Structure formats: structure tokens, C-alpha cells
Amino acid sequence: AAPAAGLPRTAAPAGATAYIISPENGATVSNPVTVVFGLKGIGVVPAGIARPDAGHHHLLIDTDVPPVNLPIPADAQHVHFGQGQTETQLTLEPGTHRLQLMLGDHLHVPHDPPIMSEVVTIEVR
């Protein structure tokens, strides 16, 4: 049994959304790839700070959405921005990649309902 399975989820503010400002869906880019994060209706705070109206970003790279009742994994496909960062630079292999943002609460657990961006597909040359 996963010990985190019992963690409560933070309610998402009504209308809160996450989105990727850049790169745009369908863009062809080169390394390093700058990814800029956007939020509407919710704020950004570092991990560990419990605020019902804020969270921190996680960037999903070439992966599906993780279970929403558990903390978001931390690995090469689930990149945490626990200091409250709102952009990053990535080095990706040439080819097609899928990027998606998911907001986590102070314990890295997705909000209820989850606050996620649309998937942005890019081509890296």
C-alpha cells in the first residue's frame, strides 16, 4: 500500500487554469528549449507552503498524467519546480516531444480537480 494514498487533496479555485506560454503547440525549436509556464486564477508558491489559492509547477515530458490522488513523481519525465519557478530551459533529443504542466499543492499532490495545461507538441531539431 502506498503511504501517500491517504493524503488529502487541496481544492482548486474555481476557474483556475494552467497553460504553456511558449513554445506554442506545433512549434519547431532547437536546444536549449525555453518553456514558459502560465497560470490563471491561482498563484505560485514554493513547495511546502500550504495555501489553498496557490501551488507549484510540474512539467510532464513525453508521459501521461500520473495518478491524481498521489504526489506527482520526481524523475526525468516529471520535472518539479518546487522553488516556484515559472520557466525552464530543457535539452531534449531531436524529434517530437509532448509537454504538459500540472500544478501540485504543498505536498506535490494535484489539486481537486487537477489544474493542468493542454498538451503542447513540439519538434526539436
Side-chain angles (χ1 to χ4, degrees), residues 70-106:
L70 297 172
I72 300 165
D75 56 34
Q77 292 182 290
H78 305 85
V79 183
H80 287 238
F81 295 92
Q83 298 302 311
Q85 304 96 309
T86 57
E87 69 177 69
T88 190
Q89 288 196 330
L90 304 172
T91 299
L92 299 170
E93 293 294 322
T96 302
H97 296 278
R98 295 179 316 121
L99 307 175
Q100 185 174 24
L101 288 175
M102 178 175 239
L103 213 64
D105 68 8
H106 64 292

Side-chain angles (χ1 to χ4, degrees), residues 16 22 27 32 35 45 49-51 53 55 57-58 61-62 73 78 85 100-103 105 112 115 117-118:
S22 68
V35 183
V45 293
I49 297 177
R51 280 192 28 203
D53 61 343
H57 295 285
H58 299 81
I61 304 170
D62 298 328
H78 305 85
Q85 304 96 309
Q100 185 174 24
L101 288 175
M102 178 175 239
L103 213 64
D105 68 8
D112 186 14
I115 301 169
S117 72
E118 296 293 324

Side-chain angles (χ1 to χ4, degrees), residues 19-34:
Y19 54 96
I20 294 176
I21 297 170
S22 68
E24 293 182 6
N25 191 43
T28 298
V29 298
S30 56
N31 285 311
V33 179
T34 299

